Every structure is written in structure tokens, then in C-alpha cells.
Amino acid sequence: MYSGKTLVLFLNTILALACSVCCTLALWWPFQGLAEQWIWANPPPYTWYTHIHMAWFWVGCVGLCFLNGNALFLFEESTTSDEAYTVIFNTNTVMHGLWGLFNSHFAYRNAFTKHDKGTSAEWRNGIFFPFFSVLGCCGSAVVRNLYTSFYGVNDVVIRVTWVWEWLSLVFELGDLIYFVIVDHPAKAQQKARGAYQEI
């Protein structure tokens, strides 16, 4: 089992991989923007243009996944400089921090201001996005990487952020499974009924 800085790299790789998979569900044509339908209550029709913001996320997620994966498999704590680890940890802090703040802004708009009610930016599930925000897996990654970058390895910080991060990911996965089994078929039937009534 991994430990120390290698464990931090492993956790970073898993989180970036999970984000990459989520964004892939939004992008690739076989899925027809499944992640977009999962997240938004009234998603626009699937086009590359309407999903370009997910492409931005996807590029960052895949890049971060490869960055962390390369470091995980190539770095040795006994021979790799502290500066190399610091670059990786700081990059993760900035990337997850920006994603977390972006998603926190969405959470605030949907939960408190109701500006997005009835628009294509309204969420399907109001409790979903905080787990992608600074309160969820993005925030835990920021804490873990920032702490390790400035103060070195702390097993308690690693374990607490690990547990919270994976609980957030499991909750998100559970919501995705629920959507695919329950909500998505219901939306498809409702859409088909609407198309039938127009005929």
C-alpha cells in the first residue's frame, strides 16, 4: 500500500480519473451528453457548442490525471526532489481549488438565489453539486495538497481528506446510478410523450 507523498499522488490520480470519466460522459457522442442530463434539470439539446464548457473541464481533468499518474509511477521519494513534489501538489491545489470555487458558485446560485430556476442552468438535484465543490471532493484535495506542499506529509490530514473525498465520490456515483436507472428513463418517456402529442 502507498504511504506518504506517494499516497497523496495516488489519491490525486484517482480523483482526477473520476473527474475525467464524469466529463467524458458529457462529451462523447455515444453518451449524448449523459452527464449534462444528469446534472441539469433542463439541459439544452446535445451539441458540441452547448457542451464546450465540459470540454474545458475534460482537458483539465485528463491533464491532471496524466500529471499525477506520471508522478505516481515515476517519482521515488528517496530520489525525487522536494521541488518536484511541490510542483505537483501546488498544481493540484490550484486546479481543484478553481474547479471547487466554480462549482461552489453554481451551488450558491441554485441553492440561495434561485436565479437559475426554470433555465438550462437549473440543477436536477440541489444536493448534488456541493459534493463537487470546495465542500466536497475538490475541497478535500485542496486541503491535502496545500498542507502537504507547505508542511509535509501528515497522516491525519491525508486520511481525513481521503475519507471525505471518497464519500463525496461514492455519493456522486450513487446519484449517477439513480439517475441512469430512474430519472433518465422517465425523462426519455416524458420527452417521447411530448413528441407524440405534437404529431
Side-chain angles (χ1 to χ4, degrees):
M1 183 61 188
Y2 298 122
S3 63
K5 293 176 181 178
T6 307
L7 178 57
V8 174
L9 293 174
F10 169 74
L11 295 173
N12 290 342
T13 303
I14 295 298
L15 178 58
L17 180 63
C19 294
S20 299
V21 169
C22 179
C23 290
T24 299
L25 290 174
L27 286 179
W28 289 6
W29 66 265
F31 302 111
Q32 292 296 299
L34 180 64
E36 292 286 344
Q37 297 169 45
W38 168 37
I39 295 169
W40 311 114
N42 309 301
Y46 177 74
T47 65
W48 183 251
Y49 179 76
T50 56
H51 288 248
I52 195 67
H53 74 279
M54 292 305 285
W56 298 331
F57 275 104
W58 185 79
V59 167
C61 291
V62 170
L64 204 56
C65 187
F66 275 91
L67 176 77
N68 286 301
N70 279 322
L72 175 64
F73 293 112
L74 298 177
F75 285 11
E76 296 288 337
E77 287 195 50
S78 59
T79 58
T80 303
S81 70
D82 288 338
E83 291 82 5
Y85 282 103
T86 299
V87 167
I88 301 295
F89 298 148
N90 288 347
T91 301
N92 276 276
T93 299
V94 169
M95 295 293 284
H96 289 297
L98 290 173
W99 288 328
L101 289 171
F102 178 79
N103 291 335
S104 297
H105 178 246
F106 273 140
Y108 174 78
R109 285 181 60 92
N110 272 268
F112 299 109
T113 67
K114 307 293 186 198
H115 285 152
D116 299 324
K117 187 82 173 152
T119 71
S120 61
E122 181 184 358
W123 292 348
R124 177 189 66 83
N125 180 343
I127 60 172
F128 164 76
F129 243 78
F131 288 96
F132 272 133
S133 74
V134 292
L135 301 175
C137 54
C138 290
S140 67
V142 169
V143 169
R144 179 179 58 249
N145 283 282
L146 192 62
Y147 189 94
T148 306
S149 178
F150 280 94
Y151 302 108
V153 174
N154 182 306
D155 289 337
V156 173
V157 170
I158 292 173
R159 287 189 183 112
V160 168
T161 57
W162 182 359
V163 168
W164 181 246
E165 188 171 294
W166 282 24
L167 282 174
S168 296
L169 290 173
V170 165
F171 179 81
E172 292 161 3
L173 178 62
D175 189 55
L176 174 61
I177 291 169
Y178 176 84
F179 170 74
V180 169
I181 293 172
V182 178
D183 285 355
H184 189 57
K187 274 187 173 182
Q189 287 176 352
Q190 186 178 29
K191 187 176 179 181
R193 279 195 300 269
Y196 178 75
Q197 289 172 353
E198 288 177 9
I199 294 177

